[in-house]
Amino acid sequence: GDKVKQSPSALSLQEGTNSALRCNFSIAATTVQWFLQNPRGSLMNLFYLVPGTKENGRLKSAFDSKESYSTLHIRDAQLEDSGTYFCAADASSGSWQLIFGSGTQLTVMP
Amino acid sequence: EAAVTQSPRNKVAVTGGKVTLSCNQTNNHNNMYWYRQDTGHGLRLIHYSYGAGSTEKGDIPDGYKASRPSQENFSLILELATPSQTSVYFCASGDAALQGARAEQFFGPGTRLTVL
């Protein structure tokens, strides 16, 4: 099965609303990264997390290593938030390989 | 200035031909990685490197070779390209897995490869 499972796979939001994306891990991840892939295909680093929470503007992310999940909250969604969000967990094998989820495709509508 | 660059950005190759994808990083990171991304999927690791002269197999290494001639450069080589290798390829760099270092990876812009 998927070592990093993301949900939902796709999501449509009205501008100005809030949402939460989630990743569940079946590996013993010690760090998590969240990325946004924009329509041009570039991967932008959003968060790098050890267990705990981080906030950056309208985005907030949490990582609970004991319960093996991470969340990304988007507040007051804007059109430019559209794209595909990926979470990735390190494989804890000493080489710091990232294992990616399949992504959440987010569309923010006016 | 972009810290991880890839060339070419787009490539069309013929089946059976040799393809070399290049990556350069100015982050002074020890580790470098090659991933591929296929429609509807996240990124999957092909090869990675701990430093100059080192290459290691990732999750899907078959059909690919890698070369790390220097700290800054990491190449992915398809000796005999096949249509199943049509994909978008991403290079990344990151710190070594040393105590106190961050496991964060930084990605290049990607190379779109089409094998006909």
Side-chain angles (χ1 to χ4, degrees):
Chain A
D2 293 347
K3 295 179 181 177
V4 177
K5 193 156 189 174
Q6 273 189 257
S7 60
S9 57
L11 182 62
S12 290
L13 292 177
Q14 287 295 130
E15 202 172 7
T17 60
N18 305 331
S19 186
L21 313 181
R22 185 177 175 105
C23 281
N24 290 312
F25 310 116
S26 61
I27 56 173
T30 57
T31 65
V32 173
Q33 282 189 249
W34 282 92
F35 300 89
L36 169 59
Q37 188 167 38
N38 64 24
R40 286 178 291 118
S42 297
L43 282 164
M44 298 159 41
N45 289 39
L46 297 177
F47 291 103
Y48 168 80
L49 294 158
V50 296
T53 61
K54 280 191 178 178
E55 193 164 355
N56 184 5
R58 295 180 293 100
L59 301 181
K60 182 175 181 179
S61 187
F63 171 38
D64 186 329
S65 58
K66 291 180 182 174
E67 298 297 324
S68 298
Y69 75 90
S70 179
T71 56
L72 177 67
H73 291 263
I74 303 171
R75 176 175 53 81
D76 184 25
Q78 302 297 304
L79 298 177
E80 61 265 28
D81 295 333
S82 295
T84 303
Y85 290 80
F86 289 99
C87 67
D90 75 281
S92 295
S93 61
S95 62
W96 286 356
Q97 302 174 45
L98 288 180
I99 299 176
F100 279 76
S102 297
T104 294
Q105 190 166 358
L106 176 67
T107 304
V108 180
M109 298 174 295
Chain B
E1 295 83 15
V4 182
T5 56
Q6 295 182 229
S7 63
R9 295 293 313 279
N10 292 280
K11 172 76 177 177
V12 178
V14 295
T15 298
K18 181 177 181 178
V19 177
T20 300
L21 307 182
S22 299
C23 178
N24 177 274
Q25 57 105 355
T26 58
N27 293 321
N28 198 31
H29 286 154
N30 286 331
N31 291 2
M32 294 186 75
Y33 307 82
W34 276 107
Y35 297 84
R36 65 178 281 175
Q37 182 181 29
D38 301 295
T39 304
H41 296 277
L43 280 68
R44 293 180 292 168
L45 183 65
I46 306 169
H47 283 288
Y48 61 99
S49 168
Y50 292 120
S54 136
T55 61
E56 306 290 335
K57 293 181 179 179
D59 296 325
I60 52 166
D62 293 345
Y64 302 94
K65 290 170 58 177
S67 173
R68 182 88 182 272
S70 64
Q71 175 87 337
E72 296 80 17
N73 295 294
F74 190 37
S75 297
L76 186 68
I77 303 152
L78 291 67
E79 295 277 6
L80 294 168
T82 69
S84 64
Q85 293 176 311
T86 293
S87 188
V88 180
Y89 291 85
F90 287 93
C91 174
S93 74
D95 271 331
L98 302 173
Q99 190 171 5
R102 289 167 64 94
E104 189 171 12
Q105 292 185 22
F106 298 87
F107 285 78
T111 294
R112 185 173 296 276
L113 173 65
T114 303
V115 183
L116 302 175

